[in-house]
Amino acid sequence: HHLLRRDDDREDRHPTPPPPPFSPRPLLGSASGAPGLLGLRGWRTLPPAASPPRGTVADAPPVLLTISRSYSLRVAKTKKQTHFDDEHSHRAVNTALWCNFLVFTLKFGVWFSTSSHVMLAELVHSVADFANQALLAYGLRSSRRAPDALHPYGYSKERFVWSLISAVGIFCLGSGATIVNGVQNLWSSQPPENIHYAALVIGGSILIEGASLLVAIKAVKKGAATEGMSIRDYIWRGHDPTSVAVMTEDGAAVTGLAIAAASLVAVQMTGNPIYDPIGSIIVGNLLGMVAIFLIQRNRHALIGRAIDDHDMQRVLEFLKSDPVVDSLYDCKSEVIGPGFFRFKAEIDFNGVVLVQNYLERTGRGVWAKQFREASLSKDDAELRRVMAEYGEGVVDALGYEVDRLESEIQKIVPGIRHVDIEAHNPDGLSV
């Protein structure tokens, strides 16, 4: 965030000894080359330092010099921000990562000994889950990076990117590969061998995946409580997709294991091996539905979604009730990360109330005295000076009101990190 601040404002805060009446260096743009003083407000006529002979450059008529103000580009101090508590998401991802690795080793051993198509589908499922959890863990770490010049709003949305890539991986690797494998073996399947080994591994995998699922459900409950949503609303509209992704993937894993167990039981009881590839196809369709849900959810987050209607309504009601606000125009909001929002509004300020507030802070009598004294002066220079200072004070008062409104909005909805308030021009242009 960059702010333009006047150098003379800095001098007001840190007084320095007054400079000499004239600088030893000539002011650029002076026809006479007479020395001048940089940093003065407005313009002035500079008399020659001495009376040189006639016919020199100084014999020319005096020149009105426009003194331009000097500005400096500074980086504003970063306001203290509230941090979104995603430790429960980290715990859910790490738990699922190691559980999937353990389940993968078990399934690989069983598939190698049984050559079951449904166990191959489950093996591919575990590979996809492990890779997806690794992507989610990377996305969580990347999204915690601090804002920089290239990404001034931070990297919070990066977890949406990696969650989307994870969902695409589930769809392609998990769903597509298992469905293709099942269809290819519908008419050429053979009864799997050593089914009792597969039954033991499926039972152990259900216990492991079930434990990971419980951790993910707990993380989703904490996230829903933090955002004041029901669990169902949080699954569909929550701001942190990571814990929801882990929960849906673990839920699909447990369901897929149950389908695999049912397929093997059907093969064992009927002697018909076709139930084995049918189970593989069902597991693939299940993974496809989970992937489509996660893709849609992360797509909405990346496109840019508005904050909840309840929070938006609270902010608008506050602005409408504030005396300094006459009208509101073009109010917008956007989710820029899990629990982090941006709010923008154009405001038609009430100039009368704004000036009254300014005079109450600075003193009505002080300004009245200055204007009375300036009006009694022989020329208009003093009056113009007082008017310029008063106008500058009114502009500062507008900035004060903007800062006050921004602070109150962030108190109403603490997740709003960035507030952009613009002064609305009645002619239709924003300033």
Side-chain angles (χ1 to χ4, degrees), residues 24 30 103 131 149 193 202 226 243 247 309 372 376 397 410 425:
S30 172
V103 170
E193 301 175 357
I202 287 176
T226 301
S243 58
M247 187 189 72
D309 293 338
R372 281 196 299 267
L376 297 177
Q410 290 177 330
N425 190 332

Side-chain angles (χ1 to χ4, degrees), residues 144-265:
R144 287 186 164 186
R145 285 183 289 175
D148 52 31
L150 190 61
H151 299 88
Y153 290 106
Y155 292 82
S156 297
K157 280 190 174 183
E158 190 157 354
R159 69 178 64 195
F160 300 144
V161 175
W162 292 104
S163 295
L164 178 63
I165 295 174
S166 171
V168 173
I170 294 174
F171 186 82
C172 297
L173 181 60
S175 177
T178 53
I179 291 177
V180 170
N181 177 73
V183 172
Q184 288 178 343
N185 292 279
L186 272 176
W187 294 275
S188 61
S189 60
Q190 299 294 327
E193 301 175 357
N194 301 319
I195 291 184
H196 54 283
Y197 291 144
L200 291 175
V201 171
I202 287 176
S205 299
I206 288 177
L207 293 177
I208 297 173
E209 294 283 7
S212 177
L213 177 61
L214 291 177
V215 175
I217 291 175
K218 187 177 179 180
V220 170
K221 288 182 177 179
K222 286 185 177 181
T226 301
E227 299 187 19
M229 298 182 177
S230 65
I231 295 179
R232 180 176 179 179
D233 289 340
Y234 184 80
I235 291 174
W236 286 98
R237 300 185 295 108
H239 300 124
D240 184 11
T242 309
S243 58
V244 175
V246 174
M247 187 189 72
T248 53
E249 290 175 11
D250 286 346
V254 172
T255 306
L257 288 168
I259 294 172
S263 299
L264 294 178
V265 169

Side-chain angles (χ1 to χ4, degrees), residues 21 52 74 89 93 96 114 121 124 127 158 180 203 282 325 332 340-341:
R74 302 182 181 179
S89 296
V93 171
T114 62
V124 174
V127 172
E158 190 157 354
V180 170
I282 295 175
V325 177
K332 298 176 182 177
F340 307 138
F341 319 121

